[in-house]
Amino acid sequence: MADQALTAQLQTAGYWLATAESLTGGLLGARLTETPGASESYLGGVVAYQNNVKQELLGVSGSLMAQQGAVDAEVAAQMANGVRARFAKINQLPAEKLIGVSTTGVAGPDQAEGKRPGTVFIGVSSAAGDAVYAHEFSGDRDQIRDQCVAAAMNCVREQLQLLSGY
């Protein structure tokens, strides 16, 4: 389901969004681009399903992932920071006008890294600071991924409120 309100909020406030997705596998970007005119506020994203992609494209610490695994709050923070920094540079935008959001977790049906399905971390990076939101969702794989996408959009809304009082 498209989120026209978020797209409009980003455009009105003058901010851009970039995504770094692991467990959602591009679903967040797909939902954002369902809205006509999304290209006025959504720059794009990186689907970093494998750890080496997180490390090479997003700058996530390999030693952190070796110690903590990919389903970790600090990994989510580094993914959000990495996508924000890289997309600001690629698009020659001031980083303070860009929000980076990341998703990492376990969609199931099996545990991963000793964590149960539904364990999710969403990272957000913006000029207002960085935040990581931990969630324990329930349901099947599709439901967990859908809940994660909805939660990530809400996290971006919270950042917009911090940044612009929107």
Side-chain angles (χ1 to χ4, degrees):
M1 173 181 286
D3 194 319
Q4 296 173 334
L6 179 57
T7 297
Q9 289 170 333
L10 285 161
Q11 290 171 359
T12 299
Y15 287 92
W16 292 89
L17 181 64
T19 56
E21 301 182 66
S22 186
L23 93 137
T24 49
L27 186 60
L28 176 57
R31 294 275 167 79
L32 290 165
T33 58
E34 288 174 354
T35 300
S39 62
E40 297 300 318
S41 60
Y42 180 60
L43 293 171
V46 173
V47 176
Y49 213 64
Q50 296 292 320
N51 288 351
N52 62 333
V53 178
K54 290 175 186 73
Q55 187 175 353
E56 295 299 320
L57 293 182
L58 299 173
V60 176
S61 166
S63 62
L64 172 67
M65 287 187 289
Q67 292 174 346
Q68 301 296 326
V71 182
D72 179 75
E74 182 58 27
V75 170
Q78 288 185 15
M79 288 173 66
N81 276 307
V83 79
R84 180 175 172 233
R86 280 158 182 74
F87 275 70
K89 182 178 179 180
I90 290 167
N91 292 282
Q92 299 179 350
L93 292 170
E96 59 269 7
K97 297 306 281 180
L98 186 62
I99 299 170
V101 63
S102 68
T103 62
T104 187
V106 183
D110 300 320
Q111 287 190 7
E113 301 177 357
K115 296 175 179 103
R116 72 169 200 78
T119 303
V120 170
F121 296 96
I122 298 169
V124 182
S125 177
S126 76
D130 299 332
V132 176
Y133 303 83
H135 296 277
E136 291 292 333
F137 297 127
S138 61
D140 64 23
R141 184 175 178 82
D142 289 339
Q143 291 168 327
I144 289 168
R145 293 174 73 228
D146 285 338
Q147 291 171 71
C148 183
V149 167
M153 288 183 182
N154 285 333
C155 293
V156 172
R157 283 186 190 87
E158 287 181 22
Q159 285 295 304
L160 279 171
Q161 288 175 339
L162 291 172
L163 289 163
S164 62
Y166 191 87

